[in-house]
Amino acid sequence: MSASTLPIGTTLTTPKATGTGGSAAAGGAGSANGLPANMQISQSGFLQLISTQMQNQNPLNPADPTQFLAQIEGLSEVSSLQSLQTSLSGLASGLQGAQMLNGTSLLGHSVLVPGNSARLAAGGSVSGAVTAPAGANGLTVSVTDASGALVDAFAVAPQSSGYTNFTWNGNTASGSAAPAGQYLLNVSASVGGTSQSVSPLVYSQVQSVTIDPSTQTLELNTVNGTVPLSSVVNIQ
């Protein structure tokens, strides 16, 4: 038996497929299965090793054929997993493209998402909604500017179920138009004579969409910041 021939019965482990041309990822430092580059083998090399084993086996003590079958079966399983991985990668790319295409249909629309920050356009207004707590007999929406100064406050009648919508007309408490910019909306509910803070939702116009590279989820870039599509509760 030559020095390059493996002993009969040696169990070979076929590594996962590497990048283009069979080279290892990360400059040959290793592959996903943890094997160094000098221990990786292609499918053709694997079959060649098995053929060499058969040619150099001891005729007085031939190898058990089931050992070769087990090695070939292992190669077949790895090949099947590689094909499945390729198919899943293609499916994921297709779903990502469809997700992006669906997201573009939201451009220019206003989506209702949790948050209390809202951008007021010149001469515009800001709309939102809240879920009134049980027993609430009144809601108060307070608008403050970036410095925390109170700009306006107004009362809203709570709905018995579902969302209670509200709209700030963009005016200050004195009736003059508030300058364009970012404002904070805080909502409090009167329940049994006590004041209770309520988390509001605000309508934001969608300007663009992005696929998060870490989670592969669709995110909406709005005038009030980036929000995940999963947080949207209404679209106008």
Side-chain angles (χ1 to χ4, degrees), residues 28-39:
S31 63
N33 60 6
L35 290 176
N38 60 357
M39 294 184 64

Side-chain angles (χ1 to χ4, degrees), residues 4-84:
S4 61
T5 303
L6 295 180
I8 296 300
T10 299
T11 300
L12 299 179
T13 302
T14 304
K16 297 180 180 179
T18 57
T20 303
S23 60
S31 63
N33 60 6
L35 290 176
N38 60 357
M39 294 184 64
Q40 297 175 16
I41 187 172
S42 65
Q43 294 183 16
S44 61
F46 183 87
L47 293 175
Q48 184 178 3
L49 284 176
I50 293 179
S51 176
T52 302
Q53 285 181 304
M54 296 181 66
Q55 292 174 4
N56 293 276
Q57 65 180 324
N58 187 348
L60 299 179
N61 185 24
D64 186 354
T66 57
Q67 295 177 347
F68 294 110
L69 292 177
Q71 292 175 343
I72 295 175
E73 182 181 0
L75 177 63
S76 177
E77 291 177 355
V78 171
S79 298
S80 299
L81 289 175
Q82 290 172 349
S83 299
L84 178 61

Side-chain angles (χ1 to χ4, degrees), residues 12-176:
L12 299 179
T13 302
T14 304
K16 297 180 180 179
T18 57
T20 303
S23 60
S31 63
N33 60 6
L35 290 176
N38 60 357
M39 294 184 64
Q40 297 175 16
I41 187 172
S42 65
Q43 294 183 16
S44 61
F46 183 87
L47 293 175
Q48 184 178 3
L49 284 176
I50 293 179
S51 176
T52 302
Q53 285 181 304
M54 296 181 66
Q55 292 174 4
N56 293 276
Q57 65 180 324
N58 187 348
L60 299 179
N61 185 24
D64 186 354
T66 57
Q67 295 177 347
F68 294 110
L69 292 177
Q71 292 175 343
I72 295 175
E73 182 181 0
L75 177 63
S76 177
E77 291 177 355
V78 171
S79 298
S80 299
L81 289 175
Q82 290 172 349
S83 299
L84 178 61
Q85 184 179 21
T86 301
S87 299
L88 290 177
S89 296
L91 177 61
S93 297
L95 291 175
Q96 187 181 77
Q99 189 180 32
M100 178 65 76
L101 183 61
N102 291 335
T104 58
S105 65
L106 296 176
L107 297 180
H109 289 270
S110 292
V111 293
L112 183 63
V113 294
N116 66 340
S117 178
R119 183 166 187 80
L120 176 69
S125 60
V126 172
S127 297
V130 295
T131 301
N137 52 24
L139 296 171
T140 301
V141 180
S142 301
V143 184
T144 58
D145 59 18
S147 65
L150 182 65
V151 176
D152 192 19
F154 55 93
V156 180
Q159 299 294 318
S160 58
S161 62
Y163 290 107
T164 298
N165 296 315
F166 64 83
T167 298
W168 175 44
N169 59 14
N171 293 335
T172 65
S174 62
S176 61

